[in-house]
Amino acid sequence: MLLQPPGLPGLLPRTLPHWPYATALDQALGDRGVPPGTVRLNLGARPDELMRIRLGWDVSRCVGPGGIHLLWDEETGWAYAYVGPGYSIPRGPVTSLRRVYATPKAVAAAADSLVHTGWPPAEVHEEEWPQAGAVRDAIDACRPR
């Protein structure tokens, strides 16, 4: 369950335009039995910064020799990396998640595969999350002008 995000004093979840996507992801991951150990959201406060979400599972929860990060940004969607003390090995996009705003259920399936096998799933997911348009609009409205 996601709590009040850390950051600037008084920062409320509703001020993060991609918070609804993060909470939907958190719910789907919990329902699938693979809740992340860490969740980070980047606000992208400058016009050249992207909104980002990073979900992390440490080595104690993963099958491989290290942990896993699932990384999302508003332009390219989902990627993953193997991580450990002092290293991060980017592995590229999660090719099974074909949409920037993949459904939370599809993201949870990808996380489950990465955590339990060390590999992303082969099954392709084309569906877009139904609330994606509202989050895109919120991100656009949040951008400094």
Side-chain angles (χ1 to χ4, degrees):
M1 175 174 76
L2 291 175
L3 303 175
Q4 169 72 28
L8 301 172
L11 183 64
L12 300 173
R14 68 180 176 273
T15 66
L16 299 170
H18 51 322
W19 187 254
Y21 191 44
T23 57
L25 294 166
D26 185 60
Q27 180 67 50
L29 291 161
D31 291 349
R32 182 82 184 219
V34 288
T38 60
V39 177
R40 299 285 183 259
L41 276 75
N42 177 327
L43 184 55
R46 295 188 326 246
D48 61 334
E49 284 185 300
L50 298 175
M51 303 286 170
R52 289 185 162 73
I53 299 172
R54 184 179 75 199
L55 307 169
W57 293 263
D58 68 26
V59 65
S60 70
R61 302 168 89 190
C62 296
V63 73
I68 299 283
H69 280 170
L70 259 178
L71 312 155
W72 173 88
D73 81 44
E74 65 179 292
E75 287 186 356
T76 61
W78 290 97
Y80 69 106
Y82 298 124
V83 297
Y87 74 88
S88 177
I89 304 170
R91 299 305 297 173
V94 180
T95 56
S96 63
L97 302 175
R98 297 277 171 98
R99 298 292 194 132
V100 170
Y101 288 87
T103 65
K105 185 177 176 181
V107 175
D112 189 23
S113 180
L114 284 162
V115 167
H116 292 112
T117 72
W119 300 100
E123 181 183 356
V124 174
H125 297 276
E126 296 280 354
E127 308 85 36
E128 182 172 72
W129 183 54
Q131 291 83 13
V135 173
R136 283 187 188 101
D137 291 346
I139 288 172
D140 288 344
C142 179
R143 289 272 186 248
R145 305 208 189 274

